[in-house]
Amino acid sequence: MKRFRFLLSRRWVLFLLTVVALAWVAWRLGEWQFHRLEDRRDRNAIIERNEKQPPVPVTDVMAPGAPLSADDEWKRVTATGTYAVEDTVVVRYRTRDGAAGVDVVVPLELVDGSSVLVDRGWFATQNRGATPDDVPAPPAGEVTIEGWVRLDATGDSTEVTDQSTRSINSAQIGEALDREVVTGFVDLRSESPEPADPLLPVELPELDSGPHFFYGLQWWFFGLLALFGFGYLVYDEARGGRGMVRGSRRSEDPEHPTVDREHRTADE
């Protein structure tokens, strides 16, 4: 065990603590990726289940001030009302295939006086800003829509300025427009009558597992690699170090007589 007494030195103790910390971080990051994988699978299951259900009236799922749950998202709903074109809100920084654009959100006034926010789709802006006056108008008069329920975004990106925002939050938009809106919003699937100038439909999420499984394995591999590397360095140090081994072998090599000559000279 004397060969391993060097592990008690300050340098090796700090080295060990650093490697253990790195391995722990890698393990936690791997677990985080696998948790994200489970969340994605749960989300996919909800989407697939809700997609198979027939559409229901929007008032059966959404109401002013009523919270929505994850199980409500991507339910198919229908609504009939009139678009409040004057309260159109543009959602900035929505690129598609590298092209700049915005999502167009218009309140649909329901018969009970409340409104549901409808994300009607994407409009290309050609790397310039867009205002509600720039985007195509929805159908006039009474309109029947079908779409998917979406949960509100959160954070600073939901701030509304001049009928423009970066993320959709019904409470923020309702307050900015001074309008009573139901919680959440609807991604448009179809509307009748059809508009004269349709927008590109909302992109639905991919129902795959994503890269989380392989990312999780990579993080765990990095953690094991750090521990293995430390173990090898300990082994190498315990046997005297590779540099010392090469030096001793060279002194015994008959092809390097200069080493023996130096020893003889020193003895004389």
Side-chain angles (χ1 to χ4, degrees):
M1 296 297 293
K2 291 183 178 180
R3 292 192 304 170
F4 296 97
R5 293 179 64 180
F6 64 88
L7 290 174
L8 299 177
S9 67
R10 183 173 179 270
R11 179 170 67 92
W12 278 93
V13 169
L14 292 177
F15 188 19
L16 173 62
L17 292 176
T18 301
V19 170
V20 171
L22 290 175
W24 180 81
V25 170
W27 178 265
R28 294 294 296 171
L29 288 172
E31 285 189 325
W32 174 63
Q33 287 293 341
F34 283 111
H35 288 157
R36 293 191 64 189
L37 175 62
E38 290 300 319
D39 291 341
R40 186 161 184 143
R41 287 173 174 170
D42 290 343
R43 185 210 64 171
N44 291 347
I46 292 173
I47 295 174
E48 291 175 345
R49 183 181 68 246
N50 289 340
E51 268 290 296
K52 296 177 182 178
Q53 301 298 321
V56 298
V58 68
T59 52
D60 288 357
V61 182
M62 310 168 74
L68 293 173
S69 68
D71 290 338
D72 293 321
E73 191 161 31
W74 299 108
K75 283 183 177 179
R76 292 167 56 193
V77 293
T78 60
T80 298
T82 305
Y83 280 121
V85 182
E86 69 280 4
D87 283 342
T88 298
V89 175
V90 295
V91 186
R92 307 185 303 272
Y93 311 128
R94 298 298 176 98
T95 60
R96 289 200 185 183
D97 299 325
V102 296
D103 274 7
V104 181
V105 176
V106 187
L108 183 71
E109 294 182 342
L110 307 177
V111 293
D112 63 1
S114 64
S115 299
V116 56
L117 299 177
V118 180
D119 185 346
R120 298 189 57 246
W122 183 83
F123 175 70
T125 57
Q126 299 180 349
N127 294 318
R128 59 181 175 80
T131 68
D133 295 331
D134 299 324
V135 300
E142 188 175 82
V143 181
T144 298
I145 69 158
E146 181 182 325
W148 296 276
V149 174
R150 298 299 310 277
L151 302 183
D152 284 326
T154 58
D156 295 337
S157 63
T158 61
E159 182 180 354
V160 182
T161 305
D162 296 328
Q163 293 181 220
S164 172
T165 185
R166 287 182 291 153
S167 299
I168 305 173
N169 180 281
S170 58
Q172 293 276 11
I173 293 178
E175 181 179 356
L177 300 178
D178 192 22
R179 177 180 292 273
E180 183 184 39
V181 299
V182 302
T183 302
F185 62 100
V186 173
D187 276 343
L188 183 66
R189 182 180 186 184
S190 64
E191 55 191 351
S192 179
E194 296 183 355
D197 191 2
L199 302 174
L200 288 182
V202 174
E203 293 181 315
L204 298 180
E206 296 289 341
L207 297 181
D208 55 24
S209 297
H212 306 300
F213 178 78
F214 295 102
Y215 284 171
L217 289 182
Q218 286 178 0
W219 279 117
W220 284 358
F221 172 77
F222 291 152
L224 292 175
L225 186 63
L227 295 174
F228 174 80
F230 177 80
Y232 178 78
L233 292 176
V234 170
Y235 166 76
D236 187 61
E237 183 74 13
R239 67 187 181 126
R242 287 178 294 178
M244 295 181 63
V245 172
R246 285 197 298 268
S248 63
R249 288 178 179 174
R250 182 174 180 179
S251 64
E252 297 171 1
D253 193 342
E255 294 182 6
H256 296 82
T258 55
V259 177
D260 295 333
R261 188 180 306 114
E262 290 174 359
H263 283 295
R264 289 197 298 269
T265 302
D267 293 339
E268 293 173 1

mmCIF file of all heavy atoms in Angstrom, residues 9-46:
data_model
loop_
_atom_site.group_PDB
_atom_site.id
_atom_site.type_symbol
_atom_site.label_atom_id
_atom_site.label_comp_id
_atom_site.label_asym_id
_atom_site.label_seq_id
_atom_site.Cartn_x
_atom_site.Cartn_y
_atom_site.Cartn_z
ATOM 1 N N SER A 9 -1.488 13.147 -0.823
ATOM 2 C CA SER A 9 -0.926 14.477 -1.042
ATOM 3 C C SER A 9 -2.032 15.447 -1.438
ATOM 4 O O SER A 9 -3.091 15.057 -1.947
ATOM 5 C CB SER A 9 0.145 14.436 -2.131
ATOM 6 O OG SER A 9 -0.438 14.126 -3.391
ATOM 7 N N ARG A 10 -1.765 16.720 -1.203
ATOM 8 C CA ARG A 10 -2.766 17.753 -1.486
ATOM 9 C C ARG A 10 -3.125 17.773 -2.970
ATOM 10 O O ARG A 10 -4.294 17.917 -3.330
ATOM 11 C CB ARG A 10 -2.224 19.109 -1.050
ATOM 12 C CG ARG A 10 -3.206 20.269 -1.234
ATOM 13 C CD ARG A 10 -2.633 21.526 -0.609
ATOM 14 N NE ARG A 10 -3.535 22.650 -0.778
ATOM 15 C CZ ARG A 10 -3.517 23.477 -1.824
ATOM 16 N NH1 ARG A 10 -2.628 23.271 -2.792
ATOM 17 N NH2 ARG A 10 -4.367 24.473 -1.903
ATOM 18 N N ARG A 11 -2.133 17.609 -3.817
ATOM 19 C CA ARG A 11 -2.378 17.666 -5.256
ATOM 20 C C ARG A 11 -3.326 16.561 -5.702
ATOM 21 O O ARG A 11 -4.265 16.795 -6.456
ATOM 22 C CB ARG A 11 -1.052 17.565 -6.005
ATOM 23 C CG ARG A 11 -1.200 17.587 -7.523
ATOM 24 C CD ARG A 11 0.166 17.743 -8.162
ATOM 25 N NE ARG A 11 0.986 16.568 -7.918
ATOM 26 C CZ ARG A 11 1.064 15.516 -8.744
ATOM 27 N NH1 ARG A 11 0.355 15.512 -9.858
ATOM 28 N NH2 ARG A 11 1.835 14.489 -8.468
ATOM 29 N N TRP A 12 -3.091 15.337 -5.215
ATOM 30 C CA TRP A 12 -3.923 14.213 -5.649
ATOM 31 C C TRP A 12 -5.315 14.255 -5.024
ATOM 32 O O TRP A 12 -6.300 13.844 -5.652
ATOM 33 C CB TRP A 12 -3.227 12.891 -5.331
ATOM 34 C CG TRP A 12 -2.224 12.533 -6.369
ATOM 35 C CD1 TRP A 12 -0.896 12.812 -6.370
ATOM 36 C CD2 TRP A 12 -2.481 11.844 -7.595
ATOM 37 N NE1 TRP A 12 -0.292 12.345 -7.510
ATOM 38 C CE2 TRP A 12 -1.249 11.738 -8.284
ATOM 39 C CE3 TRP A 12 -3.617 11.310 -8.185
ATOM 40 C CZ2 TRP A 12 -1.131 11.113 -9.515
ATOM 41 C CZ3 TRP A 12 -3.509 10.676 -9.413
ATOM 42 C CH2 TRP A 12 -2.279 10.595 -10.065
ATOM 43 N N VAL A 13 -5.410 14.745 -3.790
ATOM 44 C CA VAL A 13 -6.722 14.875 -3.162
ATOM 45 C C VAL A 13 -7.586 15.871 -3.942
ATOM 46 O O VAL A 13 -8.766 15.620 -4.235
ATOM 47 C CB VAL A 13 -6.590 15.301 -1.690
ATOM 48 C CG1 VAL A 13 -7.960 15.701 -1.119
ATOM 49 C CG2 VAL A 13 -5.996 14.173 -0.866
ATOM 50 N N LEU A 14 -6.988 17.019 -4.324
ATOM 51 C CA LEU A 14 -7.729 18.003 -5.115
ATOM 52 C C LEU A 14 -8.092 17.446 -6.486
ATOM 53 O O LEU A 14 -9.181 17.705 -7.009
ATOM 54 C CB LEU A 14 -6.903 19.279 -5.257
ATOM 55 C CG LEU A 14 -6.695 20.092 -3.973
ATOM 56 C CD1 LEU A 14 -5.788 21.284 -4.247
ATOM 57 C CD2 LEU A 14 -8.025 20.563 -3.406
ATOM 58 N N PHE A 15 -7.161 16.678 -7.053
ATOM 59 C CA PHE A 15 -7.417 16.055 -8.348
ATOM 60 C C PHE A 15 -8.603 15.106 -8.258
ATOM 61 O O PHE A 15 -9.505 15.100 -9.105
ATOM 62 C CB PHE A 15 -6.154 15.332 -8.804
ATOM 63 C CG PHE A 15 -6.221 14.806 -10.208
ATOM 64 C CD1 PHE A 15 -7.141 15.294 -11.126
ATOM 65 C CD2 PHE A 15 -5.359 13.803 -10.630
ATOM 66 C CE1 PHE A 15 -7.201 14.808 -12.424
ATOM 67 C CE2 PHE A 15 -5.415 13.308 -11.920
ATOM 68 C CZ PHE A 15 -6.335 13.812 -12.818
ATOM 69 N N LEU A 16 -8.620 14.280 -7.201
ATOM 70 C CA LEU A 16 -9.719 13.330 -7.011
ATOM 71 C C LEU A 16 -11.047 14.050 -6.824
ATOM 72 O O LEU A 16 -12.070 13.669 -7.424
ATOM 73 C CB LEU A 16 -9.430 12.445 -5.800
ATOM 74 C CG LEU A 16 -10.572 11.504 -5.372
ATOM 75 C CD1 LEU A 16 -10.901 10.525 -6.491
ATOM 76 C CD2 LEU A 16 -10.190 10.759 -4.099
ATOM 77 N N LEU A 17 -11.055 15.098 -6.014
ATOM 78 C CA LEU A 17 -12.294 15.835 -5.781
ATOM 79 C C LEU A 17 -12.817 16.463 -7.077
ATOM 80 O O LEU A 17 -14.026 16.476 -7.330
ATOM 81 C CB LEU A 17 -12.070 16.916 -4.722
ATOM 82 C CG LEU A 17 -11.797 16.416 -3.304
ATOM 83 C CD1 LEU A 17 -11.508 17.583 -2.376
ATOM 84 C CD2 LEU A 17 -12.967 15.598 -2.776
ATOM 85 N N THR A 18 -11.908 16.962 -7.906
ATOM 86 C CA THR A 18 -12.312 17.553 -9.180
ATOM 87 C C THR A 18 -12.932 16.508 -10.094
ATOM 88 O O THR A 18 -13.977 16.739 -10.726
ATOM 89 C CB THR A 18 -11.101 18.202 -9.877
ATOM 90 O OG1 THR A 18 -10.552 19.209 -9.026
ATOM 91 C CG2 THR A 18 -11.504 18.820 -11.204
ATOM 92 N N VAL A 19 -12.300 15.318 -10.182
ATOM 93 C CA VAL A 19 -12.817 14.260 -11.044
ATOM 94 C C VAL A 19 -14.180 13.781 -10.547
ATOM 95 O O VAL A 19 -15.110 13.574 -11.347
ATOM 96 C CB VAL A 19 -11.814 13.090 -11.101
ATOM 97 C CG1 VAL A 19 -12.436 11.883 -11.794
ATOM 98 C CG2 VAL A 19 -10.546 13.515 -11.831
ATOM 99 N N VAL A 20 -14.315 13.610 -9.222
ATOM 100 C CA VAL A 20 -15.604 13.184 -8.669
ATOM 101 C C VAL A 20 -16.687 14.219 -8.963
ATOM 102 O O VAL A 20 -17.820 13.868 -9.322
ATOM 103 C CB VAL A 20 -15.478 12.930 -7.157
ATOM 104 C CG1 VAL A 20 -16.852 12.711 -6.533
ATOM 105 C CG2 VAL A 20 -14.588 11.717 -6.901
ATOM 106 N N ALA A 21 -16.344 15.505 -8.831
ATOM 107 C CA ALA A 21 -17.312 16.556 -9.111
ATOM 108 C C ALA A 21 -17.740 16.536 -10.581
ATOM 109 O O ALA A 21 -18.926 16.656 -10.906
ATOM 110 C CB ALA A 21 -16.731 17.925 -8.753
ATOM 111 N N LEU A 22 -16.766 16.360 -11.489
ATOM 112 C CA LEU A 22 -17.086 16.300 -12.910
ATOM 113 C C LEU A 22 -17.962 15.086 -13.230
ATOM 114 O O LEU A 22 -18.910 15.182 -14.015
ATOM 115 C CB LEU A 22 -15.798 16.261 -13.733
ATOM 116 C CG LEU A 22 -14.972 17.554 -13.759
ATOM 117 C CD1 LEU A 22 -13.663 17.321 -14.505
ATOM 118 C CD2 LEU A 22 -15.755 18.681 -14.415
ATOM 119 N N ALA A 23 -17.644 13.950 -12.624
ATOM 120 C CA ALA A 23 -18.434 12.747 -12.857
ATOM 121 C C ALA A 23 -19.855 12.924 -12.331
ATOM 122 O O ALA A 23 -20.824 12.488 -12.963
ATOM 123 C CB ALA A 23 -17.761 11.549 -12.192
ATOM 124 N N TRP A 24 -19.989 13.587 -11.174
ATOM 125 C CA TRP A 24 -21.322 13.814 -10.605
ATOM 126 C C TRP A 24 -22.143 14.734 -11.507
ATOM 127 O O TRP A 24 -23.333 14.490 -11.752
ATOM 128 C CB TRP A 24 -21.199 14.423 -9.212
ATOM 129 C CG TRP A 24 -22.526 14.693 -8.559
ATOM 130 C CD1 TRP A 24 -23.329 13.806 -7.905
ATOM 131 C CD2 TRP A 24 -23.215 15.952 -8.529
ATOM 132 N NE1 TRP A 24 -24.480 14.424 -7.459
ATOM 133 C CE2 TRP A 24 -24.431 15.743 -7.826
ATOM 134 C CE3 TRP A 24 -22.922 17.224 -9.001
ATOM 135 C CZ2 TRP A 24 -25.340 16.770 -7.603
ATOM 136 C CZ3 TRP A 24 -23.830 18.245 -8.783
ATOM 137 C CH2 TRP A 24 -25.023 18.010 -8.091
ATOM 138 N N VAL A 25 -21.506 15.813 -12.005
ATOM 139 C CA VAL A 25 -22.203 16.732 -12.906
ATOM 140 C C VAL A 25 -22.649 16.002 -14.175
ATOM 141 O O VAL A 25 -23.775 16.175 -14.660
ATOM 142 C CB VAL A 25 -21.308 17.934 -13.251
ATOM 143 C CG1 VAL A 25 -21.922 18.756 -14.374
ATOM 144 C CG2 VAL A 25 -21.093 18.808 -12.019
ATOM 145 N N ALA A 26 -21.746 15.166 -14.727
ATOM 146 C CA ALA A 26 -22.092 14.415 -15.931
ATOM 147 C C ALA A 26 -23.255 13.467 -15.658
ATOM 148 O O ALA A 26 -24.151 13.299 -16.502
ATOM 149 C CB ALA A 26 -20.874 13.642 -16.436
ATOM 150 N N TRP A 27 -23.264 12.837 -14.497
ATOM 151 C CA TRP A 27 -24.360 11.930 -14.146
ATOM 152 C C TRP A 27 -25.679 12.683 -14.046
ATOM 153 O O TRP A 27 -26.705 12.233 -14.572
ATOM 154 C CB TRP A 27 -24.056 11.239 -12.821
ATOM 155 C CG TRP A 27 -25.160 10.320 -12.373
ATOM 156 C CD1 TRP A 27 -26.180 10.593 -11.525
ATOM 157 C CD2 TRP A 27 -25.365 8.965 -12.800
ATOM 158 N NE1 TRP A 27 -27.001 9.502 -11.368
ATOM 159 C CE2 TRP A 27 -26.526 8.482 -12.138
ATOM 160 C CE3 TRP A 27 -24.666 8.110 -13.644
ATOM 161 C CZ2 TRP A 27 -27.010 7.201 -12.324
ATOM 162 C CZ3 TRP A 27 -25.160 6.818 -13.827
ATOM 163 C CH2 TRP A 27 -26.304 6.380 -13.171
ATOM 164 N N ARG A 28 -25.657 13.862 -13.389
ATOM 165 C CA ARG A 28 -26.877 14.636 -13.242
ATOM 166 C C ARG A 28 -27.396 15.138 -14.592
ATOM 167 O O ARG A 28 -28.605 15.146 -14.846
ATOM 168 C CB ARG A 28 -26.627 15.820 -12.307
ATOM 169 C CG ARG A 28 -26.320 15.416 -10.874
ATOM 170 C CD ARG A 28 -27.506 14.767 -10.210
ATOM 171 N NE ARG A 28 -28.622 15.693 -10.071
ATOM 172 C CZ ARG A 28 -29.833 15.348 -9.687
ATOM 173 N NH1 ARG A 28 -30.108 14.082 -9.429
ATOM 174 N NH2 ARG A 28 -30.790 16.260 -9.567
ATOM 175 N N LEU A 29 -26.467 15.551 -15.461
ATOM 176 C CA LEU A 29 -26.885 16.001 -16.792
ATOM 177 C C LEU A 29 -27.488 14.843 -17.596
ATOM 178 O O LEU A 29 -28.447 15.039 -18.359
ATOM 179 C CB LEU A 29 -25.695 16.604 -17.536
ATOM 180 C CG LEU A 29 -25.226 17.970 -17.029
ATOM 181 C CD1 LEU A 29 -23.927 18.378 -17.707
ATOM 182 C CD2 LEU A 29 -26.303 19.027 -17.256
ATOM 183 N N GLY A 30 -26.929 13.653 -17.427
ATOM 184 C CA GLY A 30 -27.508 12.491 -18.084
ATOM 185 C C GLY A 30 -28.918 12.211 -17.575
ATOM 186 O O GLY A 30 -29.832 11.941 -18.363
ATOM 187 N N GLU A 31 -29.100 12.289 -16.254
ATOM 188 C CA GLU A 31 -30.440 12.088 -15.698
ATOM 189 C C GLU A 31 -31.414 13.139 -16.212
ATOM 190 O O GLU A 31 -32.576 12.839 -16.512
ATOM 191 C CB GLU A 31 -30.375 12.154 -14.165
ATOM 192 C CG GLU A 31 -29.786 10.920 -13.511
ATOM 193 C CD GLU A 31 -29.950 10.967 -12.010
ATOM 194 O OE1 GLU A 31 -29.860 12.079 -11.444
ATOM 195 O OE2 GLU A 31 -30.182 9.909 -11.399
ATOM 196 N N TRP A 32 -30.939 14.387 -16.328
ATOM 197 C CA TRP A 32 -31.790 15.457 -16.830
ATOM 198 C C TRP A 32 -32.257 15.159 -18.254
ATOM 199 O O TRP A 32 -33.430 15.357 -18.581
ATOM 200 C CB TRP A 32 -31.019 16.770 -16.783
ATOM 201 C CG TRP A 32 -31.726 17.928 -17.406
ATOM 202 C CD1 TRP A 32 -32.909 18.490 -17.005
ATOM 203 C CD2 TRP A 32 -31.313 18.664 -18.563
ATOM 204 N NE1 TRP A 32 -33.247 19.540 -17.841
ATOM 205 C CE2 TRP A 32 -32.286 19.675 -18.802
ATOM 206 C CE3 TRP A 32 -30.211 18.598 -19.407
ATOM 207 C CZ2 TRP A 32 -32.183 20.576 -19.855
ATOM 208 C CZ3 TRP A 32 -30.105 19.504 -20.449
ATOM 209 C CH2 TRP A 32 -31.081 20.471 -20.664
ATOM 210 N N GLN A 33 -31.347 14.652 -19.086
ATOM 211 C CA GLN A 33 -31.736 14.308 -20.456
ATOM 212 C C GLN A 33 -32.770 13.187 -20.470
ATOM 213 O O GLN A 33 -33.726 13.221 -21.258
ATOM 214 C CB GLN A 33 -30.505 13.908 -21.267
ATOM 215 C CG GLN A 33 -29.601 15.067 -21.650
ATOM 216 C CD GLN A 33 -30.261 16.015 -22.633
ATOM 217 O OE1 GLN A 33 -31.223 15.677 -23.309
ATOM 218 N NE2 GLN A 33 -29.743 17.227 -22.723
ATOM 219 N N PHE A 34 -32.620 12.180 -19.597
ATOM 220 C CA PHE A 34 -33.595 11.093 -19.563
ATOM 221 C C PHE A 34 -34.939 11.567 -19.005
ATOM 222 O O PHE A 34 -35.995 11.064 -19.409
ATOM 223 C CB PHE A 34 -33.054 9.920 -18.746
ATOM 224 C CG PHE A 34 -32.032 9.108 -19.496
ATOM 225 C CD1 PHE A 34 -30.701 9.114 -19.119
ATOM 226 C CD2 PHE A 34 -32.409 8.358 -20.598
ATOM 227 C CE1 PHE A 34 -29.759 8.378 -19.822
ATOM 228 C CE2 PHE A 34 -31.480 7.616 -21.309
ATOM 229 C CZ PHE A 34 -30.140 7.624 -20.920
ATOM 230 N N HIS A 35 -34.917 12.544 -18.082
ATOM 231 C CA HIS A 35 -36.181 13.118 -17.608
ATOM 232 C C HIS A 35 -36.882 13.871 -18.739
ATOM 233 O O HIS A 35 -38.111 13.806 -18.874
ATOM 234 C CB HIS A 35 -35.920 14.058 -16.430
ATOM 235 C CG HIS A 35 -35.546 13.349 -15.175
ATOM 236 N ND1 HIS A 35 -34.841 13.936 -14.150
ATOM 237 C CD2 HIS A 35 -35.758 12.062 -14.778
ATOM 238 C CE1 HIS A 35 -34.653 13.066 -13.185
ATOM 239 N NE2 HIS A 35 -35.202 11.924 -13.541
ATOM 240 N N ARG A 36 -36.079 14.583 -19.536
ATOM 241 C CA ARG A 36 -36.660 15.279 -20.688
ATOM 242 C C ARG A 36 -37.241 14.275 -21.689
ATOM 243 O O ARG A 36 -38.264 14.545 -22.329
ATOM 244 C CB ARG A 36 -35.604 16.144 -21.374
ATOM 245 C CG ARG A 36 -35.120 17.322 -20.557
ATOM 246 C CD ARG A 36 -34.282 18.262 -21.393
ATOM 247 N NE ARG A 36 -35.073 18.868 -22.463
ATOM 248 C CZ ARG A 36 -34.547 19.585 -23.441
ATOM 249 N NH1 ARG A 36 -33.241 19.774 -23.514
ATOM 250 N NH2 ARG A 36 -35.324 20.116 -24.372
ATOM 251 N N LEU A 37 -36.596 13.127 -21.823
ATOM 252 C CA LEU A 37 -37.116 12.084 -22.699
ATOM 253 C C LEU A 37 -38.480 11.606 -22.209
ATOM 254 O O LEU A 37 -39.420 11.433 -23.009
ATOM 255 C CB LEU A 37 -36.128 10.924 -22.768
ATOM 256 C CG LEU A 37 -36.585 9.681 -23.551
ATOM 257 C CD1 LEU A 37 -36.834 10.022 -25.013
ATOM 258 C CD2 LEU A 37 -35.543 8.567 -23.435
ATOM 259 N N GLU A 38 -38.614 11.403 -20.901
ATOM 260 C CA GLU A 38 -39.898 10.967 -20.349
ATOM 261 C C GLU A 38 -40.973 12.039 -20.548
ATOM 262 O O GLU A 38 -42.121 11.731 -20.887
ATOM 263 C CB GLU A 38 -39.743 10.643 -18.861
ATOM 264 C CG GLU A 38 -38.933 9.385 -18.592
ATOM 265 C CD GLU A 38 -39.555 8.148 -19.227
ATOM 266 O OE1 GLU A 38 -40.796 8.011 -19.168
ATOM 267 O OE2 GLU A 38 -38.807 7.333 -19.794
ATOM 268 N N ASP A 39 -40.583 13.304 -20.336
ATOM 269 C CA ASP A 39 -41.545 14.391 -20.546
ATOM 270 C C ASP A 39 -42.000 14.441 -22.002
ATOM 271 O O ASP A 39 -43.184 14.676 -22.286
ATOM 272 C CB ASP A 39 -40.915 15.732 -20.151
ATOM 273 C CG ASP A 39 -40.682 15.852 -18.661
ATOM 274 O OD1 ASP A 39 -41.309 15.081 -17.904
ATOM 275 O OD2 ASP A 39 -39.867 16.704 -18.246
ATOM 276 N N ARG A 40 -41.062 14.227 -22.917
ATOM 277 C CA ARG A 40 -41.427 14.272 -24.337
ATOM 278 C C ARG A 40 -42.352 13.115 -24.693
ATOM 279 O O ARG A 40 -43.303 13.285 -25.473
ATOM 280 C CB ARG A 40 -40.163 14.232 -25.192
ATOM 281 C CG ARG A 40 -40.444 14.412 -26.680
ATOM 282 C CD ARG A 40 -39.218 14.817 -27.421
ATOM 283 N NE ARG A 40 -39.497 15.073 -28.826
ATOM 284 C CZ ARG A 40 -38.919 16.031 -29.534
ATOM 285 N NH1 ARG A 40 -38.054 16.843 -28.951
ATOM 286 N NH2 ARG A 40 -39.203 16.189 -30.812
ATOM 287 N N ARG A 41 -42.081 11.946 -24.148
ATOM 288 C CA ARG A 41 -42.955 10.810 -24.415
ATOM 289 C C ARG A 41 -44.349 11.042 -23.847
ATOM 290 O O ARG A 41 -45.353 10.677 -24.472
ATOM 291 C CB ARG A 41 -42.335 9.542 -23.838
ATOM 292 C CG ARG A 41 -41.125 9.039 -24.634
ATOM 293 C CD ARG A 41 -40.447 7.883 -23.942
ATOM 294 N NE ARG A 41 -39.383 7.321 -24.771
ATOM 295 C CZ ARG A 41 -38.496 6.412 -24.346
ATOM 296 N NH1 ARG A 41 -38.586 5.954 -23.097
ATOM 297 N NH2 ARG A 41 -37.571 5.958 -25.163
ATOM 298 N N ASP A 42 -44.420 11.644 -22.656
ATOM 299 C CA ASP A 42 -45.729 11.956 -22.074
ATOM 300 C C ASP A 42 -46.474 12.962 -22.949
ATOM 301 O O ASP A 42 -47.683 12.823 -23.170
ATOM 302 C CB ASP A 42 -45.555 12.518 -20.662
ATOM 303 C CG ASP A 42 -45.073 11.471 -19.674
ATOM 304 O OD1 ASP A 42 -45.189 10.267 -19.985
ATOM 305 O OD2 ASP A 42 -44.561 11.856 -18.605
ATOM 306 N N ARG A 43 -45.734 13.989 -23.448
ATOM 307 C CA ARG A 43 -46.366 14.977 -24.311
ATOM 308 C C ARG A 43 -46.869 14.341 -25.598
ATOM 309 O O ARG A 43 -47.988 14.619 -26.051
ATOM 310 C CB ARG A 43 -45.358 16.075 -24.640
ATOM 311 C CG ARG A 43 -45.928 17.226 -25.443
ATOM 312 C CD ARG A 43 -44.892 17.869 -26.344
ATOM 313 N NE ARG A 43 -44.416 16.943 -27.367
ATOM 314 C CZ ARG A 43 -43.635 17.307 -28.384
ATOM 315 N NH1 ARG A 43 -43.236 18.555 -28.493
ATOM 316 N NH2 ARG A 43 -43.236 16.419 -29.280
ATOM 317 N N ASN A 44 -46.054 13.448 -26.174
ATOM 318 C CA ASN A 44 -46.464 12.772 -27.411
ATOM 319 C C ASN A 44 -47.718 11.933 -27.191
ATOM 320 O O ASN A 44 -48.603 11.885 -28.055
ATOM 321 C CB ASN A 44 -45.333 11.887 -27.934
ATOM 322 C CG ASN A 44 -44.150 12.694 -28.443
ATOM 323 O OD1 ASN A 44 -44.249 13.909 -28.632
ATOM 324 N ND2 ASN A 44 -43.035 12.036 -28.660
ATOM 325 N N ALA A 45 -47.780 11.277 -26.042
ATOM 326 C CA ALA A 45 -48.951 10.448 -25.747
ATOM 327 C C ALA A 45 -50.210 11.313 -25.627
ATOM 328 O O ALA A 45 -51.294 10.932 -26.097
ATOM 329 C CB ALA A 45 -48.726 9.662 -24.458
ATOM 330 N N ILE A 46 -50.070 12.500 -25.002
ATOM 331 C CA ILE A 46 -51.213 13.410 -24.875
ATOM 332 C C ILE A 46 -51.678 13.887 -26.251
ATOM 333 O O ILE A 46 -52.880 13.909 -26.549
ATOM 334 C CB ILE A 46 -50.835 14.609 -23.977
ATOM 335 C CG1 ILE A 46 -50.639 14.143 -22.531
ATOM 336 C CG2 ILE A 46 -51.909 15.688 -24.052
ATOM 337 C CD1 ILE A 46 -50.112 15.232 -21.614
#
